[in-house]
Amino acid sequence: MSDSPLIVLDHVSKVYGTGEVAVHALNDICLDVPRGEFVVFVGPSGSGKTTLLNVIGGLDQPTSGTTIVAGTDLGSLNENGLTRYRRDKVGFVFQFFNLVPTLTALENVELVADLVPDPLDARKTLETVGLGEHMHRFPSALSGGEQQRVALARALVKRPALVLADEPTGSLDYETGIRVLSVMRDVTREMGHSVLLVTHNSEITRMADRVIHLRSGRVAEVEVNPSPARAEELRW
Amino acid sequence: MSRLNLKLLRDLAHARWQFLAITFVTALGVAMYHGSMVSYETQRASYELSYERLAFGDAWIPVRRAPRAVVRQIERMPNVVAVEGRTSEIVEIEQEKPRRPRVIGRIISLPSGREPAVNRLRIIEGSPLGSRSRRELLLEQAFARANNYRPGDRIYPRFAGRRVRFRVAGIVSSAEFIYPVMGNVFSLPMPELFGAMFADEQVLGPLIGLSGQITEVCLRTRPGSEASVAAAVKRRLKPYGAEEPILRAEQASNKLLQSDLEGNKPFLVIMPALFLGSAALSVALMLARWVQAQRGIVGFLRASGFPARAILFHYLGAGAAIGVAGGIAGIGMGHLIGMWFAAAYERVIRTPFAAPQNRPDLAVTAFALAMVACLLGGWLPARSAARIVPAEAMRGMAASQPRALARIRLPLFLAIAVRNMLRRPMRTLGTASGVASAVSLMIIAGTFRDSMMQAISEAMDDFQRYDITVAFVPERSANIVTAMNAWPGVRLAEGTLDIPVRAKHNGREKDTVAMGFARGTKLRVLRDMSGASIVPEPGQALYSNVLAKRILTEPGDTVRLDYSQNIRGRSASAVMKVGPRLRLMVALPIYMEMEDLRRRFARKLQMPPDAVTGAVIAVEPGYERIVTSRLHRTDGVGLALSRADVTRQIDEVTAFANTFIAFMYLLGSAMAFAIVYTVTDIVLWERTRELATLRTLGYGMGSVLRLVTIENIMMGLLGSALAMYPAYLLARFMLEAANTEGFTMLMVTSPTTYALSVASTLVAVLAAQWPGLRRIRRLDLADAIRTRE
């Protein structure tokens, strides 16, 4: 694996609107993220966490600045290029799961596995996240935590270089949230994925290798955690 | 199968009732198109096949009388393919009981010992004419069927006042009488009262005093040379009193058949277009809801690397699935409808040869139309899905702001309903348009029925105030009518005078009949377009819009009328001033002042000075049969037609139209329900969370029902309002297209039709919301309100 950072953000800004109603969601962000780390972005509402995640995930283009992920300059990509980038390099986990309700857990994972030439085995991936017994159930028959683990399996099955998780525990109760974080941490570490997780829950920062504090669209602080906690140790 | 396609199938299964409803509407559209086309093409092909096999003429040239030998000369003329000379006479027919005692027939000669070269016959029962020594004839099948004739029966034509017994050798069908009318000026088939019959020329000639002579030449010509050849033949026959040729396009039966076919054409387009347009709209509404509901999923799919075109094709796939299902089902249904149409039509019009059309190209076109409609319907929502920006989809939709109008203070539930409709005006408009198309269809069907009933009612109850119509063969002095006035049971008898004429104006011409109308007439009424009573002035010709359009005249123009028959060997013509247009159901006659008609035509044709060709009689209650019976025994009475006879004939002719209208109404109602069900269900799906929230807050199902009903009723009323003008325009267009020279209707849409169409739609709305409401009642409220919008 190369020693170069997985993500390089160079003076990245994102402005919504113009003139007096312009909102600076990201304001001149410069940031390097090494490979293989579990990184948590934390900050209050409106601090730019999700916008930053969307820029890194190729869902949004910055107004200015350069975004390089796994050696790819996202600014140089057109819509098709961004689609390929997302398909090949990024796995997403969202707060509201966004599972297809008419597909079973296994089929939801296979839906994404169909996209890439060399995916992981969908069944094994579900077993990895602890859903081996429920893989033929539809989302409506799964609990919130189970649904989020399906979403995680769906993100991982493509063997992405990077997993982006936006408030993955936001819709879950404490115990389920802990379970999801635990699986996410263990599986991504085992598979060697980098994880970028956005949350407003500061307790989750304890399990991160690196914590990036955002405030008003700026990086307020970057904290490196030499001894991350296990998910089961978190309390909120 | 890819998981995305699996998702599509499961989505369709999940929305199966909507899928089925839209598929049903699509299938109806396809069925209407395919069925109508199959029926149309079958009719067209059957006529063509019959014309070809029976060597149907390209032109007819009537002559006063000509030697049979002239036919040999005509055969040698350029571009003549075949020629036949014959005699053709109108005669009274006497019949044995229990048939009507006296009717009218056209008796036509057939060459001895061979088939005619032109206008052959198909024997469908019995045998060809046998020995010349026997008095046998062949009866046209419509007349034979209506009067229950079989081979071997007896029939009694009258020649020069003498009744002659003939044996029916066979029943035949003829390309000249597929539409069994007496001649060019008649448009209502009355097979019970008029029949064509065919006898050997050597038997017939002496009876009509035309041995070795002919009164008509029938031609088959090389394609495209009909008019020129007919004109040349007319010149050749001039010494024998040749009349204007009748080309195939003007031949009575063919003209009415073609007019029927032409009249059907708009239905081939408009009806399927209404259904398929509605299907497209329904697909659009359903997919728009899907896209809205699956916004987050689409965002995720795009975020995961699914290209925009995959999303586009995914949602278009739903439209395609409906197109495929509706197309296949519609072709099957269309085949049945086509067969049913053809069978219903066959009951009225029987072609000598049938050429059922099971053409794959029609099925393929129908299928393609279904696909196009459904893909077009799916295009906008699919494109909007493909354009969803993943990051925005993840953020969720911002609630749209209510428009200023929505701030108007209204009772709570009404305010919610109004704001909901205004919140997404395009969606509301789309939904209302779906409802409008269903309402339109019902209004159109109702308008056809209203217009037909009005035309018949006007003709039977207002224009015609008599009970019996009488035709004399030949014409008589009016003394006979004076005598009838003294008969027991006769309240009033008035003479009529009808003279066949050809109306000409600026190079355009039309065969019709001039009818005398005396001032002071009590048993007949003429009305102008405004409905006011009108009587023709001397020198004036009154007629309908239909004839005015055929010969391009306006009130105030002049029109030339020429006597158009050759039987007297005399000519008469007059130039008349065109008066205000008349409102007529049977649209071709020209009305002239009675004395004027006698002076300008009857006397020049050596008719009696007070000539009448018929009479109309009003009888005392209970005397109709007695007077009719006496008329049948009266010398010179060719035909006596009671009001009941006419009503029965009209019923027979309109039966097919009535069936078609009822069918259209049924389909309209079915479409209304399917569309309203689809759109109502969609609205309820969209509002599940809102309604669940209301229930959670403590509102009962009754309140939810009230809220939903208010909104759906408002949607139904909006759709009904939107339907009114397009329905009016479409009905007018279709009615004008359906009007023929034979039967013309003024457009009438009764308030009942409007009320019934709107009420049916509202009932459909109430019924259609039921499944959705049941779903809301069974909702897991906690789960529903947690669901992300």
Side-chain angles (χ1 to χ4, degrees), chain B residues 542-549 581-584 586-589:
Chain B
L542 302 180
Y543 45 84
S544 71
N545 260 334
V546 176
L547 182 57
K549 279 184 189 165
R581 289 180 182 169
L582 290 182
R583 193 162 154 167
L584 293 175
V586 177
L588 281 183

Side-chain angles (χ1 to χ4, degrees), chain B residues 271-288:
Chain B
M271 300 295 288
L274 262 178
F275 280 88
L276 291 176
S278 303
L281 197 64
S282 304
V283 168
L285 291 169
M286 185 184 84
L287 287 186

Side-chain angles (χ1 to χ4, degrees), chain B residues 292-489:
Chain B
Q292 179 66 27
Q294 298 178 359
R295 204 177 148 75
I297 292 170
V298 173
F300 164 76
L301 293 173
R302 293 284 288 121
S304 297
F306 278 89
R309 68 171 180 283
I311 305 297
L312 178 81
F313 290 144
H314 175 66
Y315 286 102
L316 275 183
I322 291 171
V324 169
I328 292 171
I331 288 168
M333 284 162 61
H335 187 72
L336 295 177
I337 289 175
M339 282 166 52
W340 179 70
F341 275 177
Y345 199 71
E346 181 75 6
R347 280 197 286 276
V348 185
I349 303 295
R350 286 198 180 171
T351 48
F353 294 96
Q357 297 291 294
N358 292 316
R359 283 171 36 187
D361 60 322
L362 295 179
V364 169
T365 309
F367 185 80
L369 284 174
M371 293 303 291
V372 167
C374 293
L375 290 176
L376 275 179
W379 176 254
L380 283 180
R383 197 181 59 166
S384 82
R387 286 180 173 179
I388 284 177
V389 178
E392 285 177 11
M394 299 305 154
R395 279 197 286 273
M397 285 280 286
S400 55
Q401 294 300 309
R403 301 283 192 274
L405 192 60
R407 297 197 190 100
I408 293 172
R409 297 184 71 83
L410 289 168
L412 180 65
F413 276 17
L414 199 55
I416 293 175
V418 170
R419 285 175 192 169
N420 259 322
M421 291 175 74
L422 293 172
R423 200 158 61 120
R424 291 186 195 148
M426 289 314 290
R427 179 77 62 86
T428 302
L429 200 62
T431 306
S433 301
V435 176
S437 58
V439 178
S440 299
L441 197 66
M442 286 192 277
I443 290 177
I444 291 169
T447 298
F448 264 75
R449 176 154 183 79
D450 291 342
S451 305
M452 201 163 74
M453 296 307 290
Q454 170 80 5
I456 292 171
S457 146
E458 272 187 355
M460 298 300 290
D461 302 329
D462 183 25
F463 300 172
Q464 302 176 8
R465 300 174 176 188
Y466 47 82
D467 303 303
I468 302 169
T469 311
V470 183
F472 303 125
V473 180
E475 70 283 342
R476 290 281 188 281
S477 155
N479 292 339
I480 191 170
V481 181
T482 310
M484 285 173 182
N485 269 304
W487 289 3

Side-chain angles (χ1 to χ4, degrees), chain B residues 560-640:
Chain B
R560 180 186 167 89
L561 306 180
D562 290 338
Y563 176 63
S564 64
Q565 303 254 309
N566 66 337
I567 52 176
R568 295 181 188 281
R570 291 182 184 275
S571 63
S573 58
V575 175
M576 310 292 292
K577 189 157 186 147
V578 179
R581 289 180 182 169
L582 290 182
R583 193 162 154 167
L584 293 175
M585 181 178 81
V586 177
L588 281 183
I590 294 175
Y591 283 88
M592 291 171 58
E593 200 277 325
M594 179 69 98
E595 272 311 307
D596 201 26
L597 182 62
R598 283 180 177 142
R599 187 169 52 81
R600 290 173 191 262
F601 286 92
R603 286 168 201 158
K604 288 181 186 169
L605 297 169
Q606 296 189 331
M607 292 181 179
D610 58 347
V612 289
T613 54
V616 288
I617 302 172
V619 297
E620 302 292 349
Y623 276 86
E624 190 172 300
R625 286 189 64 178
I626 296 166
V627 173
T628 306
S629 175
R630 183 165 178 182
L631 283 166
H632 283 141
R633 295 194 305 274
T634 303
D635 198 36
V637 171
L639 191 69

Side-chain angles (χ1 to χ4, degrees), chain B residues 15 17-25 278-279 281-287 289 322 431 671-685 764 768-769:
Chain B
W17 294 112
Q18 284 174 24
F19 172 76
L20 286 174
I22 302 172
T23 298
F24 176 64
V25 175
S278 303
L281 197 64
S282 304
V283 168
L285 291 169
M286 185 184 84
L287 287 186
R289 183 192 75 79
I322 291 171
T431 306
M671 182 171 89
F673 183 81
I675 290 175
V676 169
Y677 168 76
T678 307
V679 297
T680 308
D681 204 44
I682 287 168
V683 169
L684 284 176
W685 270 110
Q769 68 183 17

Side-chain angles (χ1 to χ4, degrees), chain A residues 16 50-51 54 57 59-60 79-80 83-84 86-88 90 92 94 96-104 106-108 110-112 114-115 138 151 154-155 158 166, chain B residues 1-12 14 294-309 388-395 783 786 788:
Chain A
Y16 292 108
T50 297
T51 305
N54 287 344
L59 296 176
D60 233 344
E79 184 55 40
N80 287 340
T83 300
R84 275 196 301 277
R86 293 195 301 264
R87 187 176 62 206
D88 298 339
V90 186
F92 285 95
F94 298 104
F96 294 107
F97 326 140
N98 288 321
L99 298 181
V100 178
T102 49
L103 296 181
T104 63
L106 178 62
E107 288 162 349
N108 262 286
E110 287 173 337
L111 173 71
V112 175
D114 283 349
L115 277 173
F138 285 99
R154 197 172 57 172
K158 293 193 297 181
D166 189 358
Chain B
M1 180 187 292
S2 82
R3 296 302 167 212
L4 206 54
N5 287 340
L6 183 65
K7 169 188 174 296
L8 175 62
L9 284 183
R10 297 243 175 95
D11 283 348
L12 288 171
H14 192 63
Q294 298 178 359
R295 204 177 148 75
I297 292 170
V298 173
F300 164 76
L301 293 173
R302 293 284 288 121
S304 297
F306 278 89
R309 68 171 180 283
I388 284 177
V389 178
E392 285 177 11
M394 299 305 154
R395 279 197 286 273
D783 186 52
R786 262 205 313 272
R788 183 188 179 210

